[in-house]
Amino acid sequence: MKQALAILHFLRDCAERGERAALVTLTDVTGSAARAPGEHMAVAESGRSLGSFSGRCVEAAVIAEAQEVLAEGCARHVRYGDGSRYIDIRLPCGGGIDLLFTPTPDRRQIDCAIAVLERREPLTLQLTQDGDLVAARSDVDHCTQWRDTAFIVRHDPVLRLVVTGHGAEPAAMLDIARAYGAEVMLLSPQNSLVEDAREKGMSAALLRFVGRVDGLVIDPWTAVITLFHDHDWETPLLLQVMEQLPFFVGAMGSLRTHLERQRRLLEAGAIPDDIARVVGPVGLIKATRDPQTLALSIMAQVVQAYEAATAFNIPRPAPSTMSHPHGFIEQHARSERGGGALQSSTIVDVNQTLTADARFDRKEDQAHAQRI
């Protein structure tokens, strides 16, 4: 949930002002719904709120219910939509949602939850129907679910994007990422680009020489995008990044450029498994030359990967690399809603030849890739 940290800050701000507030949590969904279990709203006794559970279909009722809960001081578990006792409140999608109202959650637990997320660690909130809330750093196997009589909610740190490069492409990338709400960091040898990013309130550092960057820390909720026209900058940065745990690494350039990138990494000592983690050419829209379109294309691919990495809080598999008589095969795959799949493969021959590159979601495309 992108707004988890903002909602926690809302609750703490209310407490600091002496205003009571309720945390409202979506625990169950029947049929179709706009949000998934684990989504939150925060409602102050004045009626101010943050977050939503629908396209404004039930929010007014939720605010009114939260104010009642705050007045009574007792938690509630309420259904809206299909099966609800409120026959005049229906969801357009025809489904039903169950909401747990937690009045005036413990300030110490809210502070703990904020601290965990601001350290960029996964957070678990344990909510009971009696109104108790306990916050803690999440273990790897924690996921959003009912556990006996308590509802467990897992929140991962927000998507962080490290953008490296120079020229128009990084500038466009920063604007798109900021509009999405990602945490952004820029690394660039272009002084004007660094100054502009800092003026916009983003973290930015000037690259003064080709090599490793001091203090660059990458966590499993960070994506790294390289957007260099002078590719000499790339190799040491990619080597440093691959020593850590980004969920996505992408690089700008043509297929020929990507082959050369892979060869440079191999010569610099990177192993094929790590080289295969670098997606190139990066972006869902292939062969675009417009900086804004490229930025949008990359951001969509990054968000897609982030959603897959954090969906259902299931540990994600590592990218796979298979042996091949002519080199190594880079593989990327993702599940699609409805059971289909998208897959891409790049067979890289370390002796100069790019054997094949295919992206397919149809049988005829797959057959064509096999023939190449």
Side-chain angles (χ1 to χ4, degrees):
M1 178 185 179
K2 285 176 60 179
Q3 283 193 304
L5 189 56
I7 283 174
L8 292 166
H9 275 293
F10 181 100
L11 294 170
R12 183 165 71 179
D13 291 345
C14 286
E16 289 177 348
R17 290 195 307 272
E19 182 179 13
R20 293 178 298 173
L23 177 65
V24 189
T25 305
L26 174 58
T27 63
D28 299 279
V29 171
T30 300
S32 299
R35 303 288 186 269
E39 196 80 17
H40 298 298
M41 272 184 69
V43 182
E45 58 185 336
S46 64
R48 294 185 308 109
S49 68
L50 181 64
S52 67
F53 298 120
S54 68
R56 311 312 296 179
C57 309
V58 301
E59 277 68 23
V62 171
I63 291 170
E65 189 106 34
Q67 289 174 311
E68 289 183 13
V69 167
L70 288 168
E72 295 178 5
C74 296
R76 290 184 190 176
H77 200 200
V78 182
R79 164 154 286 229
Y80 293 91
D82 184 38
S84 172
R85 60 190 173 93
Y86 298 124
I87 60 175
D88 58 332
I89 302 174
R90 287 288 179 265
L91 301 177
C93 54
I97 58 174
D98 294 318
L99 303 180
L100 180 59
F101 291 77
T102 303
T104 320
D106 189 321
R107 167 67 185 275
R108 293 169 298 179
Q109 298 301 319
I110 296 300
D111 288 342
C112 174
I114 291 172
V116 169
L117 287 179
E118 288 186 341
R119 291 197 304 266
R120 293 192 60 77
E121 297 175 346
L123 168 70
T124 290
L125 298 179
Q126 178 175 294
L127 302 154
T128 72
Q129 297 188 56
D130 293 329
D132 294 328
L133 182 151
V134 177
R137 188 190 185 284
S138 182
D139 291 334
V140 173
D141 60 344
H142 284 173
C143 59
T144 298
Q145 62 182 347
W146 282 100
R147 186 179 298 162
D148 297 326
T149 59
F151 187 66
I152 308 300
V153 183
R154 177 185 170 119
H155 293 298
D156 289 296
V158 297
L159 188 159
R160 173 190 281 165
L161 190 64
V162 175
V163 178
T164 70
H166 48 229
E169 290 83 5
M173 192 76 244
L174 295 179
D175 288 341
I176 289 288
R178 187 175 63 161
Y180 170 77
E183 186 177 310
V184 185
M185 179 181 185
L186 170 70
L187 301 173
S188 175
Q190 185 179 340
N191 190 60
S192 60
L193 190 60
V194 170
E195 290 180 352
D196 185 59
R198 288 173 176 169
E199 287 177 2
K200 294 177 179 178
M202 289 179 271
S203 174
L206 182 66
L207 299 178
R208 300 183 182 278
F209 55 86
V210 174
R212 298 171 67 90
V213 178
D214 292 338
L216 178 59
V217 178
I218 307 296
D219 60 37
W221 301 275
T222 298
V224 179
I225 304 297
T226 67
L227 301 169
F228 286 104
H229 294 276
D230 179 355
H231 297 284
D232 288 341
W233 291 93
E234 283 186 342
T235 302
L237 287 173
L238 288 173
L239 288 171
Q240 182 177 0
V241 164
M242 289 187 296
E243 294 171 359
Q244 303 185 62
L245 297 171
F247 72 89
F248 184 90
V249 183
M252 179 180 72
S254 66
L255 286 174
R256 187 175 298 278
T257 297
H258 190 56
L259 176 60
E260 177 60 26
R261 175 183 298 118
Q262 291 177 318
R263 183 170 290 107
R264 285 181 182 225
L265 288 170
L266 196 64
E267 292 174 352
I271 61 175
D273 280 355
D274 283 343
I275 296 173
R277 294 167 57 196
V278 182
V279 178
V282 68
L284 295 179
I285 303 172
K286 300 304 177 186
T288 179
R289 296 177 182 271
D290 172 72
Q292 286 71 34
T293 304
L294 177 62
L296 181 63
S297 172
I298 294 172
M299 196 68 215
Q301 191 173 28
V302 168
V303 171
Q304 182 185 72
Y306 177 80
E307 293 294 327
T310 58
F312 311 114
N313 307 306
I314 297 173
R316 61 185 185 279
S320 63
T321 300
M322 302 191 303
S323 61
H324 188 275
H326 301 293
F328 57 88
I329 302 176
E330 172 191 348
Q331 290 198 323
H332 306 281
R334 63 180 175 83
S335 298
E336 290 286 273
R337 296 181 190 275
L342 293 179
Q343 179 173 333
S344 64
S345 300
T346 302
I347 304 173
V348 178
D349 184 341
V350 295
N351 296 317
Q352 307 294 322
T353 305
L354 178 65
T355 307
D357 186 272
R359 182 174 182 83
F360 48 83
D361 59 356
R362 298 177 303 168
K363 290 183 178 179
E364 55 267 35
D365 295 331
Q366 182 174 354
H368 171 69
Q370 292 173 342
R371 288 195 300 272
I372 293 178

